[in-house]
């Protein structure tokens, strides 16, 4: 069956979030909270281990009192915020304002960078008449990130877990994307970095292609094979 549409994951597939250290430094500067370089580095490392940065590393351990929130974190905006700010609060920081400010920072366009070949691949799909949807487990509106980085013009539909209260790998979220693009699941290719979450698309008959979740500098051309898969 010819591929008529491509569904893309967001974080780790088309975009990568900044490092935990850059994330924390930006908020410390914004709030004018003094912290030495060494203390900042240690705090950033602790936040990364805690899994407090959405789009970053998963927690090394989820505290029992946050386990239920963590499992359902992408179903609503409220659960997403509670889960990630809860993880952040497991790390002592010098100013209580930092926890909410860190969460707010990760939703801004400067916190994200597109992979080097993202624009090229999305433009190539548009030239071939292939529909594109972004299917993401997320608790906030990522459309402004795409607009700020010049990629919104290549996206036909956004299917975000918190807007449907369904999170991947539930096949229903991928079905919503296929319906939005007017294609049958067997005519769609899902591209993502998470074998469990993104692999759920196979449950409704979509083809699935995985990319590596690497820093932007280490994956300059990971998306280009997608163009070959659509013919």
């Amino acid at each position: 069956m010819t591929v008529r549409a491509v569904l893309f994951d967001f974080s780790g597939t088309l975009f990568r979030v900044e490092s935990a250290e850059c994330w924390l430094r930006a908020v410390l500067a914004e709030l004018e909270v003094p912290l030495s370089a060494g203390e900042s580095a240690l705090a950033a490392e602790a936040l990364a281990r805690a899994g407090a940065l959405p789009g970053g590393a998963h927690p090394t351990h989820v505290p029992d009192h946050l386990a239920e929130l963590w499992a359902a974190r992408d179903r609503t905006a409220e659960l997403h915020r509670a889960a990630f700010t809860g993880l952040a609060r497991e790390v002592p920081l010098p100013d209580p304002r930092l926890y909410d400010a860190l969460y707010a920072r990760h939703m801004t366009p400067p916190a994200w960078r597109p992979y080097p070949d993202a624009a090229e691949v999305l433009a190539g799909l548009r030239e071939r008449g292939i529909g594109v949807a972004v299917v993401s487990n997320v608790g906030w509106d990522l459309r402004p990130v795409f607009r700020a980085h010049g990629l919104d013009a290549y996206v036909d539909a956004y299917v975000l877990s918190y807007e449907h209260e369904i999170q991947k790998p539930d096949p229903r979220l991928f079905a919503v994307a296929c319906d939005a693009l007017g294609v049958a699941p067997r005519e769609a290719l899902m591209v993502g970095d998470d074998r469990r979450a993104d692999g759920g698309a196979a449950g409704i008959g979509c083809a699935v292609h995985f990319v590596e979740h690497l820093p932007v500098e280490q994956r300059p051309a990971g998306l280009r094979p997608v163009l070959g898969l659509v013919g």
Side-chain angles (χ1 to χ4, degrees):
M1 175 61 67
T2 301
V3 173
R4 295 179 52 214
V6 180
L7 318 180
F8 285 98
D9 174 50
F10 166 57
S11 175
T13 300
L14 291 174
F15 282 82
R16 174 78 181 220
V17 74
E18 63 189 341
S19 70
E21 192 163 358
C22 290
W23 176 54
L24 177 58
R25 282 203 310 264
V27 174
L28 289 170
E30 177 190 346
L31 297 183
E32 299 182 345
V33 175
L35 203 62
S36 72
E39 290 172 323
S40 174
L42 288 173
E45 184 180 342
L47 287 165
R49 287 197 307 271
L53 172 57
H58 279 201
T60 56
H61 168 72
V62 178
D64 289 344
H65 67 280
L66 293 175
E68 189 174 343
L69 268 177
W70 178 253
R73 64 192 180 278
D74 295 313
R75 289 183 185 165
T76 70
E78 294 76 18
L79 289 171
H80 193 270
R81 174 181 287 274
F84 283 101
T85 57
L87 289 171
R89 286 188 170 90
E90 294 295 302
V91 178
L93 294 176
D95 188 319
R97 297 177 298 161
L98 288 167
Y99 300 107
D100 287 331
L102 284 168
Y103 186 81
R105 163 74 185 181
H106 101 274
M107 295 186 288
T108 64
W112 296 89
R113 289 175 61 193
Y115 281 92
D117 56 344
E120 169 194 342
V121 170
L122 292 173
L125 293 173
R126 175 55 55 92
E127 290 170 3
R128 300 177 192 197
I130 304 294
V132 168
V134 172
V135 185
S136 178
N137 276 352
V138 70
W140 50 279
D141 185 4
L142 49 77
R143 294 172 182 86
V145 173
F146 279 77
R147 288 196 292 269
H149 290 279
L151 299 185
D152 178 67
Y154 303 122
V155 179
D156 300 295
Y158 293 90
V159 180
L160 311 181
S161 61
Y162 84 101
E163 293 182 338
H164 299 275
E165 298 190 7
I166 303 169
Q167 61 187 34
K168 298 182 290 186
D170 191 321
R172 292 177 296 167
L173 200 65
F174 305 102
V176 170
C178 290
D179 288 345
L181 297 177
V183 300
R186 66 181 182 279
E187 298 173 310
L189 170 68
M190 176 66 205
V191 180
D193 67 296
D194 187 319
R195 292 184 176 274
R196 177 180 178 275
D198 300 314
I204 59 167
C206 297
V208 182
H209 175 73
F210 295 107
V211 295
E212 293 185 272
H213 186 115
L214 293 171
V216 167
E217 297 80 5
Q218 295 178 28
R219 211 193 75 194
L223 291 167
R224 285 180 190 160
V226 172
L227 294 176
L229 293 172
V230 302

